[in-house]
Amino acid sequence: MSTPSQAEAPANAWIKISTASALSGPRPVAPVHAFGRDLVLFRDEEGNLGLIGRYCPHRGADLCYGRHEDNGLRCPFHGWHFDRTGQCTDQPAEPDDSTMYKAIRLPNYTVLEHNGDVLAWGGTEPAPSAVLDADIACTV
């Protein structure tokens, strides 16, 4: 029996996108391709996982090369900061009273660790709070 690819995976299923060991080390950031998108997986300073769009919406800089700080990633080009939900939280070159950052958000996915793997939920239904081995649709 073959394992289905991500494109063939059921819409409401957990997908293995990485191993937890890929985020070990001093800079827990890894490029991922899942759900037809280039994404960046990272662990913030509190130990929480984030899976967000890989490219900054400002000039398209690759966030895999951004600074890992303040529980998120800071774009290496102009310094826009994104948290693990994909929300822009800071735009250094904007005036102090600017709120433009509130309207800027990258795609994001629910992720969790399970048995040494990192799983992502790409379904249209809300992600379940727990995962069983039988719920995992495929691996990468």
Side-chain angles (χ1 to χ4, degrees), residues 43-119:
R43 187 182 306 280
D44 69 15
E45 288 90 344
E46 295 175 357
N48 297 309
L49 294 171
L51 180 64
I52 63 175
R54 185 169 170 178
Y55 302 105
C56 180
H58 181 224
R59 297 284 185 190
D62 189 337
L63 293 174
C64 284
Y65 298 104
R67 288 191 313 262
H68 180 256
E69 63 181 42
D70 299 329
N71 283 330
L73 298 174
R74 189 169 296 279
C75 176
F77 196 40
H78 284 117
W80 289 16
H81 184 269
F82 297 90
D83 67 13
R84 68 179 176 270
T85 70
Q87 180 62 54
C88 183
T89 61
D90 184 36
Q91 293 176 295
E94 286 295 305
D96 289 339
D97 61 346
S98 174
T99 59
M100 183 172 75
Y101 69 93
K102 293 179 181 180
I104 300 167
R105 184 177 202 88
L106 292 169
N108 74 306
Y109 295 88
T110 301
V111 287
L112 57 75
E113 282 184 65
H114 178 73
N115 293 335
D117 293 324
V118 177
L119 309 176

Side-chain angles (χ1 to χ4, degrees), residues 25-38:
R27 192 168 185 284
V29 178
V32 172
H33 186 82
F35 312 113
R37 294 184 167 184
D38 290 326

Side-chain angles (χ1 to χ4, degrees), residues 112-136:
L112 57 75
E113 282 184 65
H114 178 73
N115 293 335
D117 293 324
V118 177
L119 309 176
W121 181 262
T124 55
E125 300 294 321
S129 58
V131 61
L132 303 173
D133 289 331
D135 295 333
I136 301 171

